[in-house]
Amino acid sequence: MKILYFIPLLMLALSCTSHPRSEENAGTSKFQKTADGPVFTTDTLHKGFKNPWGMTWLPDGRMLVTERAGEILIFNKDKFTGQKLEGVPTVYKQGQGGLFDIQLHPKYKENGWIYIAYAKPGPEGGSTVIMRFKLKGNVLTEQQEIFRTTPLTKSGAHFGGRIIFDKKGYLYFSSGERGTKPNSQDLGNDLGKIHRIYDDGRIPQDNPFVGKTGARPSIWSYGHRNPQGLVYDSKNDIIWAHEHGAKGGDELNLIEKGANYGWPLTTYGVNYDGSVISEFKEKEGITKPVHYWVPSIAPCGMVLVTSDRYKGWKGNLLIGALAKTHVARIQLKGKEFAGEEKLLENVGRVRCVAQSPDGYIYVLTEGSGLMLKLEPIR
């Protein structure tokens, strides 16, 4: 089903009429009208997802979509083939655990490597793992675990799980603090951090904490709570990440080498029972967010729009909102926040937003269980 949307070039969000969130109605109600901007339709490509998490495209046009329960679904020409990849590793299903992001190596056509992040079970609980593999038909082969976060914990919370590559081929991935606040400030463990490694798991010797006694050498930045959005801007050679706050205090951060992002020493949020986490919103030595949300939108998934298909969107960030069930369009002025607009309000819990190789935006939702394709109308 398709619906027309009018998207603004204004800097502030404009409200629109809410609508039901059932599988039949999600994303299909009234026009979203603004004073100016392009028009697009949402094409519902698939229904029935449970907890979709990540997606990527193979050079032959097939699309791979991860389900948190531990499945990788195969789509072709925007249609589900009914097939799934075989040989996916067993995942740790406690709480928020499971299979997370999936990304191709930047030189996939040369080496055939595909990367996934997932929660792996162990005798002491679970941990976030980065694994790479190749495909032989629909079967995972040559599986290599290249990084496993420690310590393991039986917590079912805050695994992180996003993967990106920069233009030099370094791999970055996010790891949540697993619900234990002090982990984020402890350089002696892998939790509550963004890590930087080579594509085979080796540690770059110019990482900021290499050689520091007691520090994990893979750490690129720390003081994170649960980063579930990570993108690389190749034009400007910068990394954007967002992370969940507690009750309020979700953050959009510009990730810098060795920087401390504050959790739980600084926050714009409070505990879920309303009690104070920290009296500080900002503090010397802490990198403050470029933007934050109070109340929380529960951000998950993010894409930097590089396509010319959507007038006025190039250079914008599109961020999924789980709690507020929309896509947030973040307008930037260089490295600064310039404005925000809500798209696809009440569409469902948006888990992933991605851009296809031919420049179209795709959205995955849980709850409503949809794959949507945004198709611009000239």
Side-chain angles (χ1 to χ4, degrees):
M1 303 179 69
K2 294 185 179 182
I3 168 131
L4 295 176
Y5 284 84
F6 292 84
I7 302 305
L9 300 180
L10 303 176
M11 289 293 151
L12 297 177
L14 299 175
S15 62
C16 69
T17 306
S18 63
H19 52 271
R21 285 197 298 145
S22 70
E23 286 192 9
E24 294 300 321
N25 295 316
T28 61
S29 74
K30 299 180 180 180
F31 289 116
Q32 186 170 338
K33 296 182 178 180
T34 66
D36 193 8
V39 182
F40 70 83
T41 67
T42 56
D43 191 356
T44 301
L45 304 179
H46 184 69
K47 299 180 180 181
F49 286 117
K50 294 180 180 178
N51 301 105
W53 226 96
M55 61 195 307
T56 193
W57 285 262
L58 298 172
D60 63 11
R62 289 181 297 164
M63 178 200 307
L64 304 178
V65 178
T66 59
E67 277 270 19
R68 199 178 71 196
E71 298 177 330
I72 303 177
L73 283 58
I74 305 171
F75 287 74
N76 192 19
K77 296 180 180 179
D78 288 344
K79 295 181 180 179
F80 180 43
T81 63
Q83 299 177 316
K84 303 172 184 178
L85 295 187
E86 300 175 18
V88 178
T90 300
V91 301
Y92 180 71
K93 297 182 180 180
Q94 181 72 21
Q96 300 167 2
L99 178 57
F100 306 129
D101 208 2
I102 183 167
Q103 295 291 337
L104 301 190
H105 191 286
K107 296 182 179 179
Y108 175 82
K109 291 182 179 180
E110 299 173 24
N111 60 37
W113 288 117
I114 301 174
Y115 292 74
I116 55 173
Y118 70 101
K120 181 176 180 177
E124 299 174 356
S127 60
T128 301
V129 162
I130 305 299
M131 189 264 275
R132 67 178 184 175
F133 63 89
K134 296 182 180 181
L135 281 179
K136 186 175 182 179
N138 290 340
V139 180
L140 278 66
T141 64
E142 301 185 45
Q143 298 184 28
Q144 298 178 4
E145 181 180 307
I146 65 171
F147 198 99
R148 185 173 190 179
T149 60
T150 59
L152 276 67
T153 167
K154 295 186 184 298
S155 168
H158 304 173
F159 292 85
R162 291 294 176 190
I163 301 169
I164 58 169
F165 288 88
D166 70 9
K167 62 185 178 183
K168 294 181 180 179
Y170 293 112
L171 185 157
Y172 300 77
F173 72 93
S174 63
S175 172
E177 36 79 298
R178 301 302 301 282
T180 300
K181 295 182 181 70
N183 283 335
S184 296
Q185 294 296 320
D186 183 356
L187 294 175
N189 71 47
D190 297 319
L191 310 181
K193 316 295 193 300
I194 290 174
H195 298 267
R196 176 183 183 246
I197 58 177
Y198 284 110
D199 60 0
D200 59 2
R202 291 176 297 119
I203 306 298
Q205 291 305 295
D206 61 344
N207 275 4
F209 301 106
V210 167
K212 182 174 180 178
T213 302
R216 299 286 291 161
S218 59
I219 296 172
W220 186 254
S221 63
Y222 66 107
H224 300 287
R225 185 171 182 264
N226 188 25
Q228 292 190 332
L230 200 60
V231 298
Y232 176 64
D233 178 350
S234 59
K235 180 180 178 181
N236 297 298
D237 193 26
I238 57 176
I239 294 171
W240 292 99
H242 65 62
E243 61 185 87
H244 293 268
K247 187 177 181 182
D250 301 336
E251 296 180 359
L252 173 65
N253 290 303
L254 182 62
I255 301 302
E256 298 177 333
K257 181 179 182 179
N260 182 356
Y261 290 84
W263 179 257
L265 305 179
T266 61
T267 180
Y268 290 84
V270 296
N271 284 309
Y272 293 110
D273 63 4
S275 61
V276 174
I277 297 170
S278 172
E279 61 181 305
F280 299 105
K281 293 180 173 63
E282 298 180 9
K283 195 174 184 179
E284 186 177 356
I286 302 297
T287 302
K288 64 181 181 180
V290 173
H291 181 57
Y292 64 90
W293 290 269
V294 176
S296 293
I297 65 169
C300 190
M302 175 166 58
V303 69
L304 175 72
V305 181
T306 58
S307 170
D308 292 314
R309 292 188 181 276
Y310 305 88
K311 182 181 178 182
W313 287 16
K314 195 168 186 178
N316 289 184
L317 297 171
L318 301 181
I319 299 174
L322 292 167
K324 295 301 182 180
T325 63
H326 67 270
V327 173
R329 180 168 77 100
I330 303 298
Q331 297 149 304
L332 301 169
K333 186 176 181 180
K335 297 180 180 179
E336 297 180 357
F337 172 82
E340 180 175 4
E341 179 194 23
K342 293 180 181 179
L343 310 178
L344 305 180
E345 287 196 272
N346 301 316
V347 73
R349 289 169 54 84
V350 179
R351 179 63 72 176
C352 180
V353 187
Q355 181 179 288
S356 66
D358 56 355
Y360 289 97
I361 301 299
Y362 289 69
V363 175
L364 299 179
T365 73
E366 61 184 28
S368 53
L370 304 175
M371 177 191 288
L372 302 176
K373 181 178 182 181
L374 278 56
E375 298 186 355
I377 298 175
R378 298 296 182 183

